[in-house]
Amino acid sequence: MNACRPTPRSLTPVLGGLLAGGLLLAAGPAAAAKITIACGDGGAADFCPALAERWAEQSGHEVDVVTTPQSATEKLSLYQQLLGSESGDIDVLMTDTVWPGLLAPHLVDLADYLPPDATEGFFPAMIDNNTVDGRLVALPWFTDAGLLYYRVDLLEKHGHAVPETWQQLTDTAREIQAAERAAGNERMHGFVFQGRAYEGLTCNALEWVASHGGGTLVDADGQVTLDNAGAAEALALAASWPGEISPDGVLNYMEEEARGVFQAGNAVFMRNWPYVWSLANEEGSEVAGKIGMAPLPHGPEGESVATLGGWSWAVSRYSEHPEVAADLVAFLTDPEQQKAHAIRFGRNPTRQALYQDPEVLEAQPFMGELYDTLLGGVPRPASVTGEHYPRVSNAFFNGVHEVLAGDATAEEMLQRLEGELNRLGRRGW
Ligand code: GLC
């Protein structure tokens, strides 16, 4: 279908002919198009609506902003429904770093609409991640990595260091939670994270497992690696958190619920993405100026692991205005908008040069200090499992959720899941 559509490249000879015939002058300026963009959840951390408006003002086109669910898993279902029915309702989509392999058949090759140097200045690995069978299906907007947030004031008050292992985190969280509750803060919790059964739990649990030397669910050769002692040890420890150092409700937390508790001053530690830093330090936040950020803890033998995340912009192949939509994608990911995103929202740029930008580093010193952690994250096994990734991730987060809820032991669940995933991947991913 896409192949039949005229692209700027294939239009060139036509334009040349029109110009030679003097016809283009009579055609006048291109008509304004209306582009519909699927932004984030419209919450405090969603810069997309403002940027889309900015583009509309500059370009003279109209833009319609659609907000989408906070949960990446629900966002994906929405996209799958829309794209599966070849609906042209959405032109521009925000896509997760784990989706290119799955969504590629529904997305245009941006190289057909953008100049040849459109990918210059981006981290090459992020462009590679968005390139499927030689087609550039999305341009990277920001990158993400899991981090540990902690209360500097509470660690100092109770004489504790920033934990380096998950066991230390567990012990410190328990002690400070008890002391603070005894002193009158009944609502204090030790640790909040993303424990709901959705993509965010896959990100959290991958960090626990991989930092115990337990692998990354499926290895680079496509072998399922779940059923091992490191993974079991990691998940058994995590299962001890809900109702002890974490609220019972953590089993239903996504990013924003965890941020809400931490930002209200009611948690010692939190696992979250870098965007929380700016919001938690804003005026009016209970914890402004009282928090620190560090690499996540690790298991007794392992090393700290941050799950790699991030979002890109893509154009639906069912869009009626792919060239205008691609222009919006280029705008959203250009250096100026990424710089504003980094300064105001602490979103990590996907363009290398911005990490040396003095204004970015002044506004967000962590981008310099945690550079290796932010960019050295561990990817989820999305490239190797391709279109099957959501099934792998769903099986994993559902299994981990059962363990956290006390409905299965880590060993039982891992053994069962390894069998399930082996059946799924038997004929190759
Ligand atoms: C963040 C990450 C994304 C991940 C999601 C899970 O938005 O950037 O990659 O899938 O969290 O909740």
Side-chain angles (χ1 to χ4, degrees), residues 70 72 96-98 142 144 198-201 203 255 273 308-311 380:
Q70 186 202 155
D96 198 343
T97 182
V98 283
F142 67 85
D144 254 348
Y198 81 121
E199 187 62 27
L201 180 53
C203 297
E255 286 78 2
W273 306 99
L308 198 63
W311 293 83
R380 284 159 274 173

Side-chain angles (χ1 to χ4, degrees), residues 41-62:
D41 63 1
D46 188 5
F47 195 27
C48 168
L51 285 180
E53 284 305 327
R54 197 180 285 180
W55 171 80
E57 273 162 33
Q58 286 186 12
S59 68
H61 293 292
E62 248 185 278

Side-chain angles (χ1 to χ4, degrees), residues 20 61 98 104 106-107 154 185 229 247 281 357 379 384 401-402:
H61 293 292
V98 283
H106 301 287
L107 305 174
L154 292 179
N185 186 353
N281 277 308
D357 186 295
V384 69
H401 195 264
E402 264 179 65

